[in-house]
Amino acid sequence: MSDTPQYPIESGCPDGFQYLHPVMKKNFGNWDFHERPRPGVLRHVAKSGDEIWTVRFGTQRQLGPYEINLLCDIADEYADGYVHFTIRSNMEFCVADEAKVEPLIQAIEDAGYPIGGTGNSVTMISHTQGWLHCDIPGTDASGVVKALMDELHEDFTHENMPNRVHITTSCCQINCGGQGDIAINVQHTKPPKINHDLVANACERPSVVARCPVAAIRPAMVNGKPSLEIDEKKCICCGACFPPCPPMQINDAEYSKLAIWVGGKHSNARSKPMFHKLVAAGVPNNPPRWPEAAAIVKTILEAYRKDALDWERTGDWVERIGWPRFFELTELPFTKFHIDNWKGARNSLNASTHIRF
Amino acid sequence: MADTPKNPERHHTFMPSEKKSTKAFYDTPNLDELEKGPWPSFVTGIKRLAMQEEFGDMMVDLLGQLEHSYNTRLGYWKGGTISVFGYGGGIIPRFTELMGADGEPMFPECKEFHTIRVQPPAGNHYSTDMLRRLSDSWSKWGSGLVAFHGQTGNIMFIGTDNDRVQHFFDDINAYGWDLGGAGPCVRTAMSCIGAARCEQSCANEMKIHRLLVNNFIDDMHRPALPYKFKFKVSGCPNDCMNSIQRADMAVIGTWRDDMKVNQEEVKNFIADKGRKYVIDNVVTRCPTNALSLSDDDELAVDNRNCVRCMHCINVMTKALSVGDDKGVTILIGGKRTLKIGDLMGTILIPFMKLETEEDYEKLTELAEEIIDFWAENGLEHERCGEMIDRIGLVNFLEGIGVDVDPNMIATARQSSYVRMDTWDEEAEKWNQRKAG
């Protein structure tokens, strides 16, 4: 650190306007329509008649100077020197001249980056840090995503799905990956193991007690030391106590499993936004390629691709065909765990005679 | 691609021939497996960084620790308290917990491996010059590894030690970059590409985004709220920023006059896709049956019953578009599971014009009311939506001075267990508002 530290300049969020392509600046708020001439390419036409062509591609998200300079070189040589990132970490280069699109695509593909992620494709998986950097991860994030995107590469570069598919991964139940058409999330299956020697020094015990959603944690003296104990029958293994108290080790090489959820949707299009719902659990957390999770994801995607109507997101699709059909088509087992028992659960039950035979 | 690259030195699989770092690579069979396959590999990227002279050894050890995690299926980072001078947050400190039998770190070069959260420009736009400059600064003071972007929306500069955090911040702060939020504070916001490129935009997303966040910059840099508070801005109800579920306060563009129909383009669309396609994919998919196609292929819209879901506009991008009387809808209280269960945001303000500076001022005043009330009344580690769940929406509305509105509910009360002594007064308020 410098000897005389300077007060920070609290400039906050920088203005994005300064980094806009000049055509986007000129036509800001005055766009007319768009179309997708091919997967990975968008053509937006302004009311002025100006056009902007976008080429979207996937990356490894974690970028170093080599990748950044390589991709910026391409953006400078073949595009117009501007870069946009989508919320799902895809990169986009925009050009004003249609003639630049093909050479730009060629240059990006020559560097090995997949063009796609637009429209009714399986776009990049949104994910977090996992074992690479998180302090509470039950699994890796970048690795799961790399393994899955290898499998779904064709679905990224083609628009073969009924509608867009957003897949997410999360390394704990905080669910940083967010809602997904398909979500792959860690689900612990055993209560935390407590290191009683460390609790008194590492944890503020009342906040840990307060953190538990089912009031299963209480203060206790263990071996003469102030610690915490868990009512293991009550514990739902959510891991909420672990971040404020790392001696309550929830992650386990064997019992931290993956669960797969379907039908999360943020958009208001057609139906209201929906949360994803549990479809499979007990899936092994199996690095480096997580084949069991990948197989279930591919099974769900295939059933969705074959059976959903155009424009139906996975959640719309299941609403239309009903859950019995979903389990029939995917051949996933339906268990007592699929029936919710949390607050408000009765709203998730079928209070009608609406049954599909 | 699995095919041999045309120019191997300009390809994501490229590996320099000369290793400038001093530490030997560990055996990493699990991670090596993730260098196969067509998708660009983050492992190859980290290995490339590990060949560098500066910070190379740190990345050699990072690969070692990550491989260890792949073997044991456990994570080995713990948090701590690191910040920069003048701020209380914005850094995610990481210290290795992986100790050998001697009590010393097994991978000492990455024993400190902090992430610096930096706010991206509104809309996630960059020039190549600026990306290179940020990357150069990070290569000077840190590992060089950057994620664009984390799930909250920050640029994540991953991997540096205690001493260099301040240097990196000073470096980029001098040319216009500021830290994001971490901990119980206002967090970095997100906004969609919106008006910059999208015809569906009903708002100036960048302006709203910067106005809200920069108004609370003190609450971002000095965490002192009950828990995190997130703003997200989407230009239309497609909500590409996932704001209803992921933001404590979601600002979503919408319009209140009629949507626009270009009947000529409707006919062109039908000529191209067929009438059945339009009936099956547009007319019958309207959630409120507000569309009807007449025998001469004219598309009629019942605008009074259109809920602005965007579906038909998404399908017929040339023929249909949003109206002219644009504004925003504001929803409050979205969040994921912990601790009380999932909550979608719910409507707080059905429609608000954002044209004049006074309009924008009203928006920031509303955000201030909300954050002040929550800061006073929220419990520790309680998100705004959880507080509303605990105290009831009406108490919250009274606390922040917003009137009830039937747009706030999906259905009116079903339970009769309620005291309604002041019914007449409340009815009178409604009548007066209606008259006024």
Side-chain angles (χ1 to χ4, degrees):
Chain A
M1 209 183 288
S2 30
D3 295 324
T4 48
Q6 292 182 342
Y7 277 99
I9 306 159
E10 300 203 42
S11 47
C13 171
D15 191 355
F17 207 78
Q18 62 189 313
Y19 304 117
L20 287 188
H21 190 289
V23 170
M24 285 157 68
K25 257 187 208 171
K26 181 188 157 200
N27 295 287
F28 190 86
N30 283 303
W31 295 93
D32 190 16
F33 70 92
H34 79 279
E35 58 187 14
R36 301 194 311 276
R38 55 152 280 178
V41 178
L42 307 169
R43 171 182 174 243
H44 285 87
V45 179
K47 286 175 182 156
S48 67
D50 289 348
E51 297 188 359
I52 196 92
W53 294 72
T54 302
V55 177
R56 182 181 295 176
F57 57 97
T59 75
Q60 55 276 69
R61 192 180 84 138
Q62 266 84 239
L63 304 173
Y66 172 81
E67 294 91 334
I68 290 171
N69 284 310
L70 172 66
L71 293 168
C72 284
D73 287 349
I74 293 173
D76 287 339
E77 191 178 345
Y78 296 94
D80 301 338
Y82 298 91
V83 181
H84 173 250
F85 290 89
T86 72
I87 186 176
R88 309 188 78 76
S89 298
N90 290 312
M91 271 174 104
E92 294 182 336
F93 294 160
C94 291
V95 292
D97 181 0
E98 183 186 353
K100 288 183 171 177
V101 173
E102 273 312 313
L104 174 60
I105 289 175
Q106 198 56 52
I108 296 168
E109 283 183 340
D110 285 348
Y113 289 88
I115 310 272
T118 49
N120 47 325
S121 64
V122 177
T123 187
M124 172 63 168
I125 299 172
S126 69
H127 70 100
T128 52
Q129 299 286 26
W131 289 328
L132 182 70
H133 203 261
C134 185
D135 58 339
I136 52 176
T139 185
D140 197 25
S142 329
V144 183
V145 171
K146 159 68 179 156
L148 270 161
M149 288 314 288
D150 279 343
E151 301 265 346
L152 303 174
H153 192 261
E154 289 280 302
D155 297 313
F156 179 88
T157 57
H158 294 76
E159 295 183 347
N160 283 339
M161 292 289 158
N163 199 346
R164 69 197 65 232
V165 179
H166 290 168
I167 302 181
T168 67
T169 69
S170 295
C171 318
C172 76
Q173 278 190 38
I174 292 172
N175 192 212
C176 294
Q179 295 296 308
D181 287 285
I182 304 177
I184 306 152
N185 297 347
V186 157
Q187 187 89 22
H188 304 292
T189 61
K190 286 274 185 285
K193 285 187 287 239
I194 308 178
N195 185 337
H196 294 289
D197 293 336
L198 300 179
V199 170
N201 289 330
C203 317
E204 195 184 322
R205 292 188 302 155
S207 352
V208 186
V209 170
R211 202 66 69 87
C212 178
V214 292
I217 302 174
R218 53 186 174 242
M221 293 293 285
V222 182
N223 304 329
K225 288 180 185 152
S227 186
L228 295 161
E229 66 182 11
I230 297 174
D231 181 340
E232 297 209 347
K233 281 198 180 126
K234 268 186 170 175
C235 176
I236 51 171
C237 313
C238 70
C241 53
F242 179 53
C245 187
M248 306 194 69
Q249 183 57 251
I250 185 73
N251 291 314
D252 185 280
E254 191 183 347
Y255 296 114
S256 292
K257 305 277 193 185
L258 301 175
I260 296 182
W261 306 68
V262 159
K265 162 179 172 290
H266 292 283
S267 169
N268 292 270
R270 300 167 304 282
S271 46
K272 289 182 179 179
M274 291 183 237
F275 288 114
H276 49 230
K277 291 101 185 162
L278 177 75
V279 295
V283 183
N285 179 19
N286 195 3
R289 288 230 165 240
W290 292 270
E292 298 85 357
I296 295 172
V297 168
K298 288 176 84 172
T299 301
I300 295 167
L301 276 177
E302 197 49 24
Y304 164 69
R305 194 181 61 75
K306 280 190 191 148
D307 195 65
L309 302 176
D310 284 353
W311 297 97
E312 271 180 340
R313 295 282 293 271
T314 59
D316 298 326
W317 167 57
V318 182
E319 295 259 292
R320 178 174 60 82
I321 66 169
W323 285 101
R325 188 83 71 238
F326 173 86
F327 287 101
E328 181 191 313
L329 291 174
T330 55
E331 296 182 0
L332 293 168
F334 180 77
T335 69
K336 67 178 182 180
F337 300 112
H338 291 99
I339 300 175
D340 202 343
N341 58 357
W342 192 247
K343 191 177 162 188
R346 292 221 45 176
N347 295 323
S348 69
L349 304 183
N350 185 2
S352 75
T353 58
H354 291 198
I355 295 171
R356 294 166 183 81
F357 293 104
Chain B
M1 293 287 162
D3 313 333
T4 319
K6 263 195 227 164
N7 181 355
E9 298 200 352
R10 310 283 297 157
H11 193 268
H12 70 71
T13 53
F14 168 70
M15 195 56 66
S17 50
E18 191 193 351
K19 182 172 178 301
K20 293 178 179 163
S21 55
T22 53
K23 229 175 157 163
F25 277 115
Y26 298 92
D27 278 340
T28 54
N30 280 298
L31 298 180
D32 298 350
E33 178 58 35
L34 290 174
E35 291 195 273
K36 299 171 189 163
W39 196 262
S41 170
F42 72 102
V43 173
T44 305
I46 297 176
K47 283 191 180 174
R48 214 160 26 224
L49 293 172
M51 307 278 274
Q52 299 179 137
E53 191 174 345
E54 294 287 323
F55 297 96
D57 289 344
M58 178 189 263
M59 299 313 261
V60 168
D61 271 8
L62 177 75
L63 288 164
Q65 174 161 333
L66 190 57
E67 177 71 17
H68 193 84
S69 282
Y70 270 62
N71 282 320
T72 60
R73 303 181 184 190
L74 292 171
Y76 296 100
W77 299 108
K78 65 177 176 188
T81 43
I82 302 270
S83 193
V84 297
F85 183 73
Y87 286 178
I91 313 291
I92 309 295
R94 289 292 177 254
F95 300 91
T96 186
E97 284 190 308
L98 207 47
M99 301 297 168
D102 55 359
E104 293 298 313
M106 281 168 67
F107 300 99
E109 299 297 329
C110 68
K111 67 179 181 192
E112 296 160 8
F113 195 71
H114 314 313
T115 280
I116 297 164
R117 286 185 177 173
V118 173
Q119 293 190 65
N124 291 342
H125 303 283
Y126 300 84
S127 62
T128 50
D129 288 347
M130 188 44 83
L131 272 184
R132 291 182 207 266
R133 192 169 177 190
L134 287 167
S135 177
D136 288 348
S137 292
W138 185 234
S139 293
K140 187 171 170 198
W141 300 113
S143 74
L145 192 66
V146 197
F148 293 98
H149 301 86
Q151 290 297 318
T152 299
N154 293 288
I155 317 172
M156 312 283 270
F157 292 91
I158 308 170
T160 195
D161 56 25
N162 298 357
D163 295 339
R164 290 180 173 91
V165 167
Q166 183 74 45
H167 287 297
F168 174 69
F169 175 66
D170 289 345
D171 185 347
I172 63 165
N173 190 228
Y175 60 88
W177 299 81
D178 200 359
L179 293 190
C185 63
V186 170
R187 296 291 187 90
T188 297
M190 289 173 101
S191 51
C192 66
I193 193 161
R197 196 186 64 192
C198 182
E199 74 275 12
Q200 298 174 340
S201 162
C202 298
N204 186 337
E205 302 81 2
M206 287 201 255
K207 178 167 178 164
I208 300 168
H209 172 164
R210 296 186 66 233
L211 191 75
L212 288 173
V213 167
N214 292 348
N215 187 58
F216 292 99
I217 205 69
D218 183 41
D219 286 313
M220 177 177 292
H221 291 142
R222 295 161 193 94
L225 293 173
Y227 197 18
K228 61 182 92 167
F229 193 96
K230 296 184 179 183
F231 294 108
K232 293 190 197 291
V233 187
S234 286
C236 83
N238 279 320
D239 194 9
C240 291
M241 292 298 103
N242 306 339
S243 64
I244 294 183
Q245 193 263 316
R246 305 198 75 168
D248 297 274
M249 181 168 163
V251 182
I252 300 179
T254 190
W255 70 98
R256 61 181 173 185
D257 58 343
D258 293 356
M259 65 180 267
K260 293 185 195 167
V261 185
N262 179 335
Q263 298 293 355
E264 229 18 70
E265 289 294 346
V266 171
K267 290 189 173 65
N268 289 340
F269 189 88
I270 292 171
D272 180 31
K273 294 281 213 173
R275 193 171 292 127
K276 181 176 163 53
Y277 183 91
V278 174
I279 293 168
D280 287 352
N281 289 287
V282 182
V283 176
T284 58
R285 307 296 273 282
C286 173
T288 51
N289 297 324
L291 295 175
S292 141
L293 190 68
S294 56
D295 291 342
D296 60 355
D297 288 344
E298 194 143 297
L299 189 71
V301 183
D302 172 6
N303 278 287
R304 295 262 301 162
N305 282 308
C306 166
V307 288
R308 280 76 179 151
C309 87
M310 298 301 293
H311 172 74
C312 60
I313 297 176
N314 291 342
V315 180
M316 300 172 75
T317 56
K318 268 190 192 174
L320 306 178
S321 47
V322 302
D324 287 322
D325 188 7
K326 295 170 179 172
V328 294
T329 298
I330 297 169
L331 294 95
I332 192 84
K335 60 168 289 293
R336 185 50 173 152
T337 315
L338 295 176
K339 149 181 169 184
I340 68 163
D342 313 297
L343 300 175
M344 292 284 181
T346 52
I347 288 192
L348 181 67
I349 306 290
F351 188 85
M352 182 180 210
K353 266 317 244 191
L354 285 182
E355 265 173 5
T356 63
E357 288 311 308
E358 290 78 57
D359 293 340
Y360 282 98
E361 225 166 90
K362 276 188 208 154
L363 179 69
T364 41
E365 281 167 12
L366 177 71
E368 281 168 9
E369 286 287 344
I370 292 168
I371 290 183
D372 284 352
F373 181 83
W374 169 64
E376 284 287 313
N377 294 282
L379 304 176
E380 190 204 331
H381 216 256
E382 186 178 56
R383 294 281 288 270
C384 189
E386 293 174 302
M387 176 195 70
I388 296 170
D389 202 74
R390 177 168 56 81
I391 68 174
L393 180 66
V394 170
N395 281 327
F396 174 69
L397 294 175
E398 285 173 356
I400 61 166
V402 171
D403 292 327
V404 296
D405 187 295
N407 285 300
M408 293 171 178
I409 57 170
T411 154
R413 169 185 291 279
Q414 297 174 26
S415 161
S416 65
Y417 285 178
V418 59
R419 271 185 71 161
M420 296 187 273
D421 319 25
T422 56
W423 175 272
D424 290 343
E425 276 166 48
E426 294 301 321
E428 187 49 29
K429 280 188 201 163
W430 169 261
N431 290 333
Q432 277 181 7
R433 277 208 303 280
K434 232 168 65 176

